[in-house]
Amino acid sequence: MVTTSETLPKSGYTADTPKRYLLNAGALVRNLTWDSSVLKWSYDEFGATSGGSKLTLKNNLRQVEVDGVFTTPVGGDMIESSEGTFEINVIEHTRDNIKMSLFANSKDSSGTDFPDGYDVITPKQKIDATDYIQNLAYIGTISGSDKPIIIIMANAICTSGLEIEVKDKSEAVVTLTFDARTPSGDVSTTSLPVTILFPKEPEGEA
């Protein structure tokens, strides 16, 4: 919306500002899918976080060099590549999160090599197609909306490995970093494989 006034503002704050805050740490889920036949989402839980998360969506630009042109003009920028990264501080530790971080296999303990009642997790020597997550989704709250903001990163894979620091009087928080990957059938694209669902504002308020 274009605003006109005889005076210039001294702050970016407006009456609509309190409706547009991104609140709190939100939630992360895996394999988020919308089913239009029943109007419901389905997803796999990721686990609780502590200390929030960091989402980085970035286009890497290349400037076209032309002889005799000494500054970059409008139209002189090209998208060379795109990156999507979710950095998640996990405080809830699960078998699936450990498997994702190490590209690992797991099996039930047999009671022979190890006692019963354990998942035996062992890293693999190669990355399989199943190690890529269909998508990793951030679900957050916009202060003026009853609908969440949702950021969906497709074909996510953990690139951080597993680093655990444990100490007394403290719970271990593991930072897992996930990067987006392009579908194998569309390797020529430079588009970022990320979708952002941003709640619409009532007409006249945008």
Side-chain angles (χ1 to χ4, degrees):
M1 175 184 295
V2 177
T3 301
T4 59
S5 174
E6 294 181 359
T7 60
L8 295 175
K10 295 181 180 179
S11 168
Y13 187 92
T14 69
D16 289 325
T17 296
K19 307 173 187 176
R20 297 168 177 166
Y21 298 140
L22 183 58
L23 303 175
N24 303 321
L28 277 296
V29 299
R30 297 179 291 124
N31 305 322
L32 181 66
T33 304
W34 172 249
D35 188 337
S36 59
S37 64
V38 294
L39 302 181
K40 288 185 178 180
W41 292 101
S42 64
Y43 57 88
D44 296 323
E45 294 181 352
F46 190 94
T49 61
S50 178
S53 303
K54 181 179 179 181
L55 286 60
T56 303
L57 311 175
K58 178 183 176 184
N59 289 317
N60 299 309
L61 303 183
R62 173 171 56 87
Q63 286 71 45
V64 178
E65 295 184 5
V66 180
D67 291 342
V69 177
F70 302 104
T71 60
T72 301
V74 173
D77 295 289
M78 303 294 172
I79 297 177
E80 188 167 69
S81 61
S82 301
E83 302 173 18
T85 301
F86 284 10
E87 189 176 288
I88 305 168
N89 296 311
V90 180
I91 197 170
E92 182 176 347
H93 307 288
T94 67
R95 175 194 61 191
D96 286 343
N97 288 348
I98 295 174
K99 286 178 61 180
M100 282 188 291
S101 66
L102 296 175
F103 314 124
N105 288 319
S106 70
K107 63 181 181 180
D108 293 334
S109 57
S110 64
T112 303
D113 294 328
F114 305 101
D116 288 328
Y118 285 92
D119 289 311
V120 181
I121 302 172
T122 52
K124 298 182 297 186
Q125 293 183 336
K126 67 172 186 174
I127 298 173
D128 297 318
T130 54
D131 292 316
Y132 295 90
I133 305 169
Q134 175 186 336
N135 64 59
L136 187 59
Y138 163 79
I139 303 169
T141 299
I142 295 291
S143 54
S145 177
D146 58 357
K147 293 179 176 159
I149 179 175
I150 304 173
I151 303 176
I152 305 171
M153 184 173 73
N155 308 307
I157 189 167
C158 184
T159 57
S160 60
L162 183 64
E163 182 176 342
I164 304 174
E165 182 178 348
V166 293
K167 53 187 176 181
D168 288 341
K169 300 181 182 179
S170 180
E171 294 72 41
V173 176
V174 174
T175 300
L176 298 179
T177 300
F178 291 84
D179 290 350
R181 293 292 185 256
T182 301
S184 58
D186 193 18
V187 294
S188 62
T189 185
T190 58
S191 298
L192 191 62
V194 169
T195 301
I196 301 175
L197 302 179
F198 196 90
K200 284 183 175 292
E201 295 185 2
E203 294 205 7
E205 295 187 13

